[in-house]
Amino acid sequence: MLTKPFKYLVIGLFVNFVILFIAGSVLVVSVALSYNGRCGVFYFFGGQGRPCPLLEYLKEELWFNLIAIFSFLWWLILPAFLVIPGIGYLIGRLRK
């Protein structure tokens, strides 16, 4: 059995995973809806690209988006994922 502060900490971690799942789902759906049958590096810069299947397009676009998101917003994402469980732990300490 978990003590109350750690129970709320676990709830905070669960909230982090739910947020990550929802954000990932939105990213996958938006990339899948933008599929037009072509992919490749030069396609991003106005080139014609090459024909490719949906799964290859998803893989390339998701890696490109994840690298862009984490390279520019890591300083915002990391504290946000630390703050939510911390708030849960503090709420648990106050309700103890």
Side-chain angles (χ1 to χ4, degrees):
M1 195 79 170
L2 293 173
T3 61
K4 208 166 238 196
F6 290 109
K7 177 181 160 188
Y8 282 95
L9 176 72
V10 170
I11 291 172
L13 290 172
F14 181 72
V15 168
N16 275 345
F17 287 119
V18 168
I19 290 170
L20 192 61
F21 177 75
I22 291 171
S25 298
V26 167
L27 184 63
V28 167
V29 168
S30 66
V31 167
L33 290 176
S34 68
Y35 175 65
N36 62 357
R38 298 207 170 267
C39 61
V41 175
F42 297 111
Y43 180 67
F44 292 122
F45 304 109
Q48 293 298 315
R50 58 179 167 67
C52 65
L54 177 63
L55 290 177
E56 184 179 348
Y57 179 77
L58 282 173
K59 185 177 79 170
E60 286 184 14
E61 286 282 325
L62 288 176
W63 276 115
F64 182 78
N65 286 332
L66 288 176
I67 289 170
I69 288 170
F70 284 116
S71 64
F72 293 111
L73 297 177
W74 67 267
W75 57 271
L76 186 64
I77 294 170
L78 184 62
F81 278 102
L82 295 175
V83 166
I84 293 172
I87 290 173
Y89 180 76
L90 292 175
I91 290 172
R93 297 269 308 187
L94 290 174
R95 291 191 177 187
K96 187 176 179 184

